[in-house]
Amino acid sequence: MPKLRLPIPFGAAALAVAFAILLPHVAAQAQESDTLAKIKASGAITFGYRESSFGFSYLDGNLKPVGYSIEICNRIVEAVKTELKLPAVEIKYQAVTSANRIPLVQNGTVDIECGSTTNLVERQKQVAFSPDIFRYNVRMLVKADSGIRSIADLQGKTVVTTTGTTSFRLLREADKGRNLEVNNLGGKDHSDSFLLVESGRAQAFVLDDILLAGQIANARNPKDFIITGESLRTENQSLMFRKDDPAFKALVDRVVSGMMKSGEMEKLYNKWFMSPIPPKGININYPLNAETKEAFANPSSKGI
């Protein structure tokens, strides 16, 4: 007697097809967000670095990425090797800018951005952050003989901000900046923005004061420039990586918090911001401020 084959209801058949299509997609999504699995499979990790965030992440005389943020990321790699029981992990480097850093982390090109990125709550919708590794004030760099000393003095002037940063928005939101008539220029990176002031095309460069200090320290004539004006906001810098990856975030948080509690982070800070650094042996000379001391004492990736 032939076996009777009952027809599969249309809904069940459609559901089976849907699952067949959906499951590989779900698995792929899970794999994409699992940074540790990606590193284990490839034996490599990709750092995003900045070319001119002096002290934090920049190129030395041999065009090698160096800096405070890079060294913290190196410590994270050591922890990854231990976690995954790998004898070695190759570090690859990908240059990023303020404009493309978030997309490059999101699409998997960069596994961790070791740069100078502000941890904003609005950015946490797209990426994840380590505990703050630095806190600072947003102010402006001007020529010492410009006569500009406050936000009000920018009336009718040209102000440069690096494309992809929040600096111009902060200037506009400041009480004394709302009614200003200024021309805004966008530099492709911090060095480009600084050159616009140095050449006279812009009268002020608004950015994190520590990054401005790095630009001045590397200038041909540092005494020609000053950091001045009211603080537009106290901000925080963190390492950035893909969101929805709790295992990798837990490892990053453990390493960064541990460095803070052991005193290693402060030693690293003094190495990059209070000592001569490559390639020119210049000292940025930016003492540890109260805000960063608080970040070290109470590690947090809360964001602002």
Side-chain angles (χ1 to χ4, degrees), residues 33 42 55 83 97 99 114 119 121 142 163 172 176 199 212 222 233 245 290:
S33 65
S42 67
E83 179 85 9
T97 66
C114 316
N119 178 4
V121 171
V142 300
T163 301
R172 279 301 192 202
K176 295 182 180 179
S199 65
L212 295 176
R233 182 163 70 177
D245 190 348

Side-chain angles (χ1 to χ4, degrees), residues 24-288:
H25 177 68
V26 171
Q29 280 191 323
Q31 190 172 13
E32 285 171 7
S33 65
D34 191 340
T35 304
L36 291 174
K38 179 184 176 187
I39 295 169
K40 188 168 187 176
S42 67
I45 186 172
T46 301
F47 287 2
Y49 73 92
R50 302 299 296 271
E51 294 182 317
S52 60
S53 290
F54 296 111
F56 289 96
S57 180
Y58 66 101
L59 296 174
D60 67 7
N62 297 315
L63 301 182
K64 178 185 176 183
V66 296
Y68 176 68
S69 300
I70 297 291
E71 285 215 45
I72 298 171
C73 284
N74 287 336
R75 304 293 195 280
I76 291 168
V77 171
E78 291 303 311
V80 167
K81 286 163 58 177
T82 301
E83 179 85 9
L84 299 179
K85 297 180 175 59
L86 293 174
V89 170
E90 180 188 1
I91 298 175
K92 298 180 179 181
Y93 297 94
Q94 170 67 50
V96 300
T97 66
S98 296
N100 70 16
R101 56 191 168 183
I102 290 178
L104 288 178
V105 168
Q106 287 181 300
N107 69 20
T109 302
V110 167
D111 294 312
I112 183 166
E113 193 242 4
C114 316
S116 54
T117 296
T118 304
N119 178 4
L120 300 176
V121 171
E122 63 192 66
R123 286 176 175 166
Q124 292 177 8
K125 297 173 184 177
Q126 301 172 286
V127 290
F129 292 93
S130 72
D132 301 342
I133 61 171
F134 199 100
R135 291 179 183 162
Y136 53 88
N137 293 296
V138 179
R139 300 177 71 200
M140 59 184 171
L141 175 154
V142 300
K143 287 186 175 179
D145 61 2
S146 67
I148 297 172
R149 296 295 182 271
S150 71
I151 294 173
D153 295 331
L154 294 176
Q155 180 65 34
K157 304 291 195 301
T158 296
V159 176
V160 61
T161 53
T162 303
T163 301
T165 66
T166 59
S167 302
F168 195 68
R169 189 185 76 188
L170 292 176
L171 176 62
R172 279 301 192 202
E173 290 173 353
D175 289 340
K176 295 182 180 179
R178 290 173 184 165
N179 299 315
L180 284 179
E181 293 182 8
V182 297
N183 177 37
N184 179 227
L185 290 180
K188 64 181 179 62
D189 58 28
H190 302 328
S191 289
D192 185 45
S193 297
F194 176 76
L195 286 173
L196 290 172
V197 175
E198 189 176 44
S199 65
R201 289 182 58 196
Q203 285 70 58
F205 174 17
V206 178
L207 191 68
D208 318 342
D209 58 3
I210 176 58
L211 295 177
L212 295 176
Q215 292 294 327
I216 291 175
N218 280 276
R220 286 191 292 268
N221 298 297
K223 293 182 180 178
D224 290 351
F225 304 93
I226 60 171
I227 297 170
T228 188
E230 306 89 326
S231 171
L232 299 180
R233 182 163 70 177
T234 297
E235 292 196 335
N236 48 359
Q237 287 182 358
S238 304
L239 308 175
M240 179 171 63
F241 42 93
R242 283 180 290 283
K243 65 177 299 184
D244 300 325
D245 190 348
F248 190 64
K249 176 164 173 56
L251 184 145
V252 170
D253 288 1
R254 184 172 73 247
V255 172
V256 172
S257 299
M259 291 175 69
M260 291 171 176
K261 292 174 182 176
S262 71
E264 183 183 2
M265 195 71 82
E266 186 168 348
K267 290 178 182 176
L268 207 58
Y269 179 98
N270 289 332
K271 173 182 176 179
W272 289 101
F273 301 109
M274 293 298 294
S275 307
I277 60 175
K280 301 176 183 177
I282 291 170
N283 188 344
I284 295 176
N285 194 26
Y286 189 98
L288 191 66

